[in-house]
Amino acid sequence: MEQLKKKNNFLEKYFSDLSKTIIPDIECLRKLYLVKDLFLSTSKKKGKILIFGNGGSSAIASHVSVDLTKNAKIRSVNFNETDLITCFSNDYGYDRWIEKAIDFYADPKDIVVLISSSGRSKNMINASKAAKSKKIKVISFTGHSKKNPLSKISDLNLWVNSRAYNFIENTHQIWLL
């Protein structure tokens, strides 16, 4: 019985902590509305949303891209094709594969969304620089340190106040969906 109570306490604390992380403060809500408006204006201009992530964030990018396209009727793409990732990584290095995808696929009316729990992934930082050099807006979703490198070079950053990947990734997914 005592062991079951400990398990319940763990789950109660986990869900309580996750709930506090997911619920956006007023500043984050303002940014989420801005993201919505940017997505809609990009769609009206016949632009598209390019969404990138690594690992679990890549799965989030895929899910969000499909929902934006199918449900919101906003043209969106993500790049999870193994052949493209391995080709660009082999030819340009893993740190530059997203940058090269932006070079090949992004147009001036587009928006780039970068999802990085730490905000320190070199490929995301290089991607942001590539998009900005093409005068394409960059929206980033990060966690860990508020002043992470990616947040500093994005046009708009939505930051999750957590160091737990699980909380950060779940929050990013909920905020984006």
Side-chain angles (χ1 to χ4, degrees), residues 70-93:
K70 181 179 166 244
N71 299 328
K73 309 294 187 248
I74 296 173
R75 196 165 51 121
S76 179
V77 294
N78 69 89
F79 298 84
N80 288 335
E81 300 88 5
T82 306
D83 56 339
L84 182 129
I85 295 169
T86 57
C87 172
F88 283 7
S89 292
N90 184 62
D91 292 353
Y92 307 110

Side-chain angles (χ1 to χ4, degrees), residues 2 4-14:
E2 186 63 32
L4 183 59
K5 186 173 180 160
K6 283 181 182 179
K7 284 182 183 180
N8 286 339
N9 286 341
F10 167 79
L11 288 175
E12 287 171 15
K13 181 170 175 17
Y14 176 85

Side-chain angles (χ1 to χ4, degrees), residues 35-49 68-69 72-76 109-111:
V35 169
K36 179 195 74 137
D37 292 343
L38 288 168
F39 284 3
L40 290 172
S41 67
T42 298
S43 182
K44 285 180 187 170
K45 293 184 298 188
K46 305 292 185 212
K48 63 188 173 299
I49 313 300
L68 281 174
T69 300
K73 309 294 187 248
I74 296 173
R75 196 165 51 121
S76 179
K109 295 177 184 176
D110 297 342
I111 286 183

Side-chain angles (χ1 to χ4, degrees), residues 9 19 47 61 66 69 75 108 110 113-114 123 136-137 150 172:
N9 286 341
S19 296
V66 169
T69 300
R75 196 165 51 121
D110 297 342
V113 175
L114 303 171
N123 59 357
I136 296 171
K137 282 197 183 307
L150 184 58
H172 285 164

